[in-house]
């Protein structure tokens, strides 16, 4: 069983979720939205499901400083680790690791790294998978990820090819694969031995920092200096130096920067627990029951002779006539209309609005 005293939950909450425009904005990113029927925000749900495993005192949320007020509003009991600026997940996770070590003199805490914006249906099964990953990380110099059993040839997720069995539901990782074409995803499904990469990770703080030294040495050097600052008196007075160090870090994901190179990766092939990374509006819709025509309607709408549509309205009525596989999202001040085929490209709208200076809409 997990001993909570040496485990920290690291909740990554710095992203904007631009594919969730027009609801997700810089001032209110996706993780702070309630996208289900419960009224609970995604970050609140993430914290709620992990507290039984680690305890409230061991909860850490990592995000940009400008999001700190929102974090304290949604999860007031969590400790906040502020990034000086957005630098992707490698720098974010590295910063969390040195903070964990600075807080644990002589210790080497196990870190459970979780995105703040995933949806889970079976919390108990998730915790069981994480518990096995914690024991694996404790017992070996392993970088452990949680693998999701694929249920269909999904092109929006990365894949992991499992290697040698390690006991329980754990395996070595033979290789990581990026988001595939539909044809390749079907081949993975037919072949077996693959799982979806959930983006949930478990490792000891010292082990992930050693991986940084091997594969991101410049970042590791900066993290070492930040750790010295954190462990020294008057650390707050040296905040400008931490900002300077962090600003020079490469903006790279933990997958590209470390995991795809490391030889000590393992995966816990979890039992199905109803995982959804809620990465786009079509994936959001997977959490709800559709009607007999395959339509999903949240809010006020009139739908006539339409099939496979997703409609989310604010205060006004949305009417859809003769549409097929179209997503309509009304936020009140903006309206998104996009085909299912192009739903991953919604972030281009945000980029275009920025170019036009419409900061009021992003």
């Amino acid at each position: 069983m997990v001993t909570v005293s040496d485990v920290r939950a690291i909740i990554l909450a710095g992203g904007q979720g631009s594919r969730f425009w027009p609801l997700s904005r810089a001032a209110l990113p996706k993780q702070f939205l309630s996208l289900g029927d419960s009224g609970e925000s995604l970050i609140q749900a993430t914290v709620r499901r992990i507290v039984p495993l680690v305890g409230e005192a061991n909860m850490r949320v990592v995000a940009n400083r400008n999001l700190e007020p929102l974090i304290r509003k949604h999860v007031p009991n969590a400790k906040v680790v502020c990034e000086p600026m957005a630098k992707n997940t490698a720098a974010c996770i590295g910063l969390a690791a040195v903070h964990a070590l600075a807080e644990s003199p002589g210790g080497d805490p196990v870190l459970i790294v979780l995105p703040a914006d995933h949806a889970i249906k079976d919390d108990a099964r998730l915790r069981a998978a994480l518990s096995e990953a914690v024991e694996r990380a404790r017992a070996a110099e392993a970088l452990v990820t949680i693998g999701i059993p694929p249920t269909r040839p999904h092109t929006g997720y990365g894949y992991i090819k499992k290697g040698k069995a390690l006991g329980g539901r754990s395996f070595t990782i033979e290789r990581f694969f990026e988001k595939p074409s539909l044809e390749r995803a079907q081949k993975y499904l037919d072949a077996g031995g693959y799982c979806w990469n959930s983006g949930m990770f478990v490792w000891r703080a010292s082990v992930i920092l050693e991986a940084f030294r091997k594969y991101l040495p410049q970042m590791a050097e900066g993290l070492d200096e930040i750790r010295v600052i954190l462990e020294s008196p008057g650390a707050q007075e040296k905040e400008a130096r931490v900002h300077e160090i962090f600003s020079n870090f490469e903006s790279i994901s933990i997958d590209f920067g470390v995991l795809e190179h490391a030889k000590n990766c393992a995966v816990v092939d979890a039992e199905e627990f109803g995982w959804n990374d809620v990465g786009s509006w079509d994936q959001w819709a997977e959490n709800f029951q559709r009607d007999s025509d395959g339509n999903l309607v949240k809010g006020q709408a009139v739908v006539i002779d339409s099939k496979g549509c997703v409609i989310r309205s604010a205060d006004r009525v949305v009417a859809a006539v003769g549409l097929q596989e179209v997503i309509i999202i009304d936020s009140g001040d903006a309206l998104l209309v996009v085909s299912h085929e192009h739903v991953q490209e919604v972030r281009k709208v945000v980029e275009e609005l920025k170019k036009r200076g419409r900061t009021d809409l992003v």
Side-chain angles (χ1 to χ4, degrees):
M1 292 295 293
V2 171
T3 303
V4 297
S5 61
D6 73 334
V7 180
R8 306 284 184 273
I10 307 299
I11 311 298
L12 307 182
Q16 180 180 339
S18 57
R19 284 178 293 176
F20 261 81
W21 188 87
L23 262 65
S24 182
R25 308 285 176 93
L28 190 66
K30 179 181 69 169
Q31 57 270 27
F32 300 102
L33 297 174
S34 173
L35 296 175
D37 295 327
S38 69
E40 186 179 46
S41 68
L42 290 172
I43 190 171
Q44 287 172 332
T46 301
V47 169
R48 171 184 50 75
R49 68 175 67 102
I50 198 66
V51 161
L53 196 61
V54 305
E56 280 193 350
N58 292 328
M59 193 74 56
R60 306 289 183 268
V61 179
V62 188
N64 301 335
R65 188 171 299 280
N66 64 314
L67 294 178
E68 186 174 2
L70 274 174
I71 295 168
R72 298 201 181 282
K73 177 181 177 182
H74 283 247
V75 284
N77 294 325
K79 182 173 181 179
V80 183
V81 177
C82 292
E83 300 173 277
M85 63 199 68
K87 281 287 184 175
N88 216 318
T89 54
C92 177
I93 288 169
L95 183 65
V98 295
H99 268 269
L101 286 173
E103 294 171 356
S104 311
D108 188 12
V110 177
L111 309 181
I112 299 175
V113 181
L114 302 172
D117 55 359
H118 288 185
I120 305 293
K121 292 182 180 178
D122 191 327
D123 296 349
R125 281 190 172 181
L126 168 66
R127 288 193 291 267
L130 290 171
S131 293
E132 179 169 340
V134 167
E135 297 304 334
R136 178 67 49 190
R138 270 212 199 103
E141 306 286 314
L143 303 173
V144 189
T145 187
I146 303 299
I148 309 296
T151 56
R152 62 192 184 285
H154 206 298
T155 60
Y157 300 145
Y159 285 71
I160 293 170
K161 186 176 183 181
K162 295 182 294 184
K164 182 178 67 174
L166 296 172
R169 301 187 68 91
S170 298
F171 297 81
T172 62
I173 292 178
E174 188 169 318
R175 187 178 169 187
F176 290 91
F177 292 89
E178 290 306 304
K179 297 174 183 178
S181 65
L182 181 60
E183 180 183 8
R184 187 165 293 278
Q186 186 63 57
K187 288 182 179 178
Y188 295 161
L189 200 65
D190 293 342
Y194 289 82
C195 48
W196 288 332
N197 185 355
S198 69
M200 304 183 212
F201 309 111
V202 181
W203 40 55
R204 298 205 312 273
S206 66
V207 175
I208 188 60
L209 290 173
E210 182 59 30
F212 274 75
R213 292 185 186 96
K214 289 181 180 178
Y215 307 112
L216 294 171
Q218 185 176 4
M219 190 178 294
E221 184 177 343
L223 290 169
D224 286 341
E225 185 176 348
I226 290 175
R227 180 183 174 184
V228 170
I229 292 172
L230 293 173
E231 293 177 342
S232 64
Q236 289 184 338
E237 298 171 8
K238 301 175 184 177
E239 188 174 327
R241 177 57 184 154
V242 173
H243 189 285
E244 180 184 4
I245 295 168
F246 203 87
S247 68
N248 289 320
F249 285 164
E250 179 182 3
S251 181
I252 190 169
S253 73
I254 194 70
D255 300 84
F256 283 128
V258 174
L259 299 179
E260 293 189 5
H261 307 288
K263 307 301 181 187
N264 58 332
C265 292
V267 60
V268 174
D269 188 12
E271 289 187 87
E272 172 61 43
F273 51 72
W275 171 79
N276 188 319
D277 79 345
V278 202
S280 54
W281 283 111
D282 59 335
Q283 291 171 352
W284 166 77
E286 292 174 3
N287 292 289
F288 304 96
Q289 187 70 36
R290 299 193 184 215
D291 65 20
S292 58
D293 289 320
N295 297 313
L296 172 67
V297 175
K298 293 291 181 181
Q300 301 184 76
V302 175
V303 183
I304 299 171
D305 295 331
S306 297
K307 294 182 183 296
C309 294
V310 173
I311 301 173
R312 192 183 197 279
S313 64
D315 298 326
R316 54 188 170 186
V317 175
V318 172
V321 182
L323 299 180
Q324 303 282 329
E325 302 290 328
V326 171
I327 296 172
I328 302 173
I329 308 296
D330 176 28
S331 66
D333 62 345
L335 179 67
L336 170 70
V337 182
V338 61
S339 68
H340 275 264
E341 183 181 0
H342 293 90
V343 71
Q344 297 290 331
E345 300 174 33
V346 171
R347 63 179 59 186
K348 293 181 180 179
V349 177
V350 176
E351 293 168 4
E352 181 61 29
L353 288 169
K354 287 179 179 177
K355 291 178 183 176
R356 298 185 184 188
R358 292 303 308 268
T359 54
D360 58 314
L361 292 177
V362 297

